[in-house]
Amino acid sequence: MKIHEYQAKALLAAYGVPVPRGEAAFSVEEAEAVARRLGGSVVVKAQIHAGGRGKGGGVKVARDAAEAAELARKMLGMTLRTHQTGPEGRVVQRLLVEETLPIERELYLGIVLDRAQGKPVFMASAAGGMDIEEVAAKTPELILKESIEPGLGLQPFQARKLAYGIGLAGETAGAAVKLMLGLARAYEGLDASLAEINPLVVAGDGRVIALDAKINLDDNALFRHKDLVELRDRNEEDPLEVEASGFDLNYIKLDGTVACMVNGAGLAMATMDIIKHFGGSPANFLDVGGGAKAEQIRNAFHILLSDRNVRAVLINIFGGILRCDTLATGVVAAARELNVQAPIVVRMEGTNVELGRKILLESGLNFTLADGMKDAAEKVVRLAQ
Amino acid sequence: MSILVNENSRVLVQGFTGREATFHAGQCIAYGTNIVGGVVPGRGGQKHLDRPVFDTVAAAVKETGADTSVIFVPPAFAADAVMEAADAGLAVVVCITEGIPTRDMIRAWQFLRGRETRLIGPNCPGIISPGKCKIGIMPAHIHKPGGVGVVSRSGTLTYEAVHQLTKLGIGQSTCIGIGGDPIIGTTFVDALRLFNEDPETSAIVMIGEIGGTAEETAAAYVAAHVKKPVVGFIAGQTAPPGRRMGHAGAIISGGSGKAADKIAAMRAAGITVCDTPAEIGEKVQARLAGS
C-alpha cells in the first residue's frame, strides 16, 4: 500500500526522524492558515502517490501566507503529470505546507528488501535529490549498503559506516546516525516494503532533516496495523480497482481493448502477454482466484465491462480440480444477468470440459470456444478489432 | 526417479482440520501420498481423515516418523509453523499459505539457515512426483510420470505447462512450485541443481515472472553447470512497472525485475525461452528431439 508524503513524515517523526515543520491542507483556507502558523516563506507540495512532482509543477515556494493561498488555489484540483503518473496524471486533492530550509547538502537514504539475502538492506548515498535508479545504473559505487540483521536491526556501527561514508562529520554525522537508526526501526515496526528519504538534507545549521519521505507498506501485514489501513487514499487509485478490491478481486486496469478473466496470477500475466503477442492489447490484469467461484465470476464481469474501452472478453480458466460445467453455468448466468454484449472467448481446462462447452454453446449467448491459449488469444484479438 | 519427494515420503499436514487442508489432504491421499497425520494445536488426540492429530509437530514426528510436512495454516501463523517444522527436523516443508507478511518470512528464512530443512514456498501450489507422491493443491490428473523436471513461481501457469507436456506424451519427474513471494525457501538454482543431478530427469522447464533477479541468477547457474536442455518462459512481459501483479513478488521496481532482462539473460545462457506460454510443450519436445 502506498501512502502520502505527509503521512510518511508523521510516521517517521514518531520514530525520531527529524522532518520539517508543516501540516497537510485539504483546502485553500487550510493552506493559508498553516502557512500563517509556520510564518515566513513556505513550500507548498502537492500530495499524490507518484514521484517527480517538482518537475511537474507540484512543488512551489511561497514568500508568505497570501502567496501560499494563491499557490494552493492553483494546485488543488489541478491534474499533475509526472513520469510516474502516466499521461492521464493525477488530480491534486491534498497539499503539504512546510517551512523552507537552508540546504547545504542533499543525501539519499533508503531501505528495501534484498530478496537474495533474505533480509532488508539499508542504502545511503551522497548523491541525494536525484533519481536513485539512475544513480544505481550509472554510478553504483556511489551507493553504500549495509544489511539489516533480522531481529537485531541496524546497528550503530553500521549507521556510522554509512554516515562517514557519505561524507558527514562531527555532530552532523552523529545526528545522521540517530536518524538512520530511527528510519530502520520505522521500516521494521511499520512492516514497510520500502522506506526512502530523498533528499535527506543537511541544513545550514548542521541539522539533518528528511525533506521528502516515501513509505510503502506490506499489504500482507496490514492485518496487524489497523491504524495504517486508515491511511489508504482511495482517490489515488483507479475507481474500478477500488471496486474490485472490495470484491477481493486482484484487478489492475490497463489501457487496451481485450478484457481478461483468469485464475492465478502467473497465468493472468501470461494471458496478457499472449494477447499482445498476437497483436491485441490487454485491458486489464485480473486474477479471479484459484477456485473461480460463480459469485466471483459475476463480480469480475461487472468490473471488466465497466471499462468502456473493452471490445472483447477472454476467459482463461485452468480449473484442474474445478469442474468446467460448474464454471460454464456460472459464466452463462453472469453474462445473462449483466446483459453482456461484448463477444466472449472461453478457454477452460478441468474436469467435465465437454459438458462445460455444451452449456456455453447451448446458452444462445455470444460465446466463442477456444482450444488452448494460442487459439484463444488469436480468436479474441480478431473479435476485438 | 524424482527429487525431494517420492513414494517413501511420510507426510504431516499442519493445519490439518481446516477446510482447504481437509479437501486437499483428501486429494493427496487419493493420489497415494502417505499422509501419516496432522498437527493442529489444541486438537491433539483426535482423528481426522482417519489419521491421528497432534498438538505439536515434534509430537507428531515422534509418533509417526514423518519426514515431510505441508502447511495450510492462516498467514498470520504460517511463518511460525515453518519454524516449528524445521525445529522438529523435517527434511522437506511445503508451505501453501498465501499472504504471509514479509517480516515474518524474513525471520523464518533466517531460522532455517544452518538447518537441514528444505522449505518449498510459501505461496505455492506444492510439489508432485507424478505416480509417486503429490504434496500440494495441483490437479493430479494432468500429470504423467516421466523425465521432465518443472520448476515455477506460478501455480496455474505451471498446470498449463504440465498439461501441454502430458498432451504431447511427455511425462514429468517432479514439478515444483517455488512460490510467488519475494522471500521463498527453495530457489530456481536449488531446483535446477537437484534436477541436474537427478539421473532420470532429462530436460528442465523453468517458468519465471517479473520481479527480483532470481531468473538472472538461475541463468548464470545454467550456463555454468547444467548440461540438460532447459526450456523457459517469463510471465509479465506486458506488466506495467511499479504495480504488483497478484503475487507479492511480481513487481518491477527500481528498474529491476523486468521480463526483457530475464529473457535476455536466459537466452544468453542457452535456455530456450518461449515467446508465448502456448509453446512450452512443443519447445520441450523439440529440445528432447535434439534440435
Side-chain angles (χ1 to χ4, degrees), chain A residues 66-86:
Chain A
E67 214 176 286
E70 193 50 43
L71 285 176
R73 194 166 290 121
K74 283 184 191 149
M75 268 189 217
L76 285 168
M78 87 171 185
T79 301
L80 185 54
R81 290 178 187 85
T82 81
H83 69 285
Q84 288 186 5
T85 61

Side-chain angles (χ1 to χ4, degrees), chain A residues 240 251-262 267-268 271-276 280-288 297 299-317 340 342-347 376-377 379-381 383-385:
Chain A
L240 276 180
Y251 171 85
I252 292 173
K253 192 178 173 315
L254 302 169
D255 50 15
T257 57
V258 180
C260 25
M261 186 192 305
V262 189
L267 191 62
T271 303
M272 287 162 42
D273 294 348
I274 200 169
I275 288 168
K276 180 83 177 251
S281 58
N284 64 278
F285 166 92
L286 174 62
D287 173 9
V288 288
I297 288 164
N299 293 335
F301 259 126
H302 170 71
I303 298 287
L304 293 182
L305 299 167
S306 305
D307 177 352
R308 305 216 166 274
N309 295 330
V310 167
R311 292 207 217 120
V313 180
L314 170 55
I315 299 180
N316 183 16
I317 303 285
V340 179
I344 303 169
V345 176
V346 183
R347 184 277 174 130
K379 281 179 172 156
V380 79
V381 168
L383 287 167
Q385 275 162 0

Side-chain angles (χ1 to χ4, degrees), chain B residues 2 27 39 52 55 92 97 100 125 128 174 188 196 199 210 226 244 250:
Chain B
S2 51
Q27 296 277 321
V39 178
D55 287 318
V92 176
T97 309
I100 305 175
I128 181 169
T174 299
F188 278 121
N196 197 38
I210 54 161
V226 180
R244 213 167 282 284

Side-chain angles (χ1 to χ4, degrees), chain B residues 43-61:
Chain B
R43 313 266 309 243
Q46 299 180 7
K47 285 249 176 190
H48 186 65
L49 302 183
D50 209 25
R51 279 146 177 90
V53 182
F54 301 89
D55 287 318
T56 66
V57 178
V61 169

Side-chain angles (χ1 to χ4, degrees), chain A residues 54-128:
Chain A
K55 282 181 200 148
V59 180
K60 299 243 155 111
V61 176
R63 275 170 301 186
D64 54 29
E67 214 176 286
E70 193 50 43
L71 285 176
R73 194 166 290 121
K74 283 184 191 149
M75 268 189 217
L76 285 168
M78 87 171 185
T79 301
L80 185 54
R81 290 178 187 85
T82 81
H83 69 285
Q84 288 186 5
T85 61
E88 70 278 13
R90 294 277 171 75
V91 177
V92 178
Q93 297 180 320
R94 304 177 185 196
L95 301 172
L96 172 59
V97 182
E98 282 184 339
E99 63 174 333
T100 55
L101 293 164
I103 297 170
E104 206 151 81
R105 288 190 62 189
E106 297 195 8
L107 309 164
Y108 170 91
L109 299 179
I111 308 177
V112 294
L113 176 68
D114 180 342
R115 297 185 189 207
Q117 295 294 319
K119 50 190 160 188
V121 59
F122 198 118
M123 300 178 291
S125 177

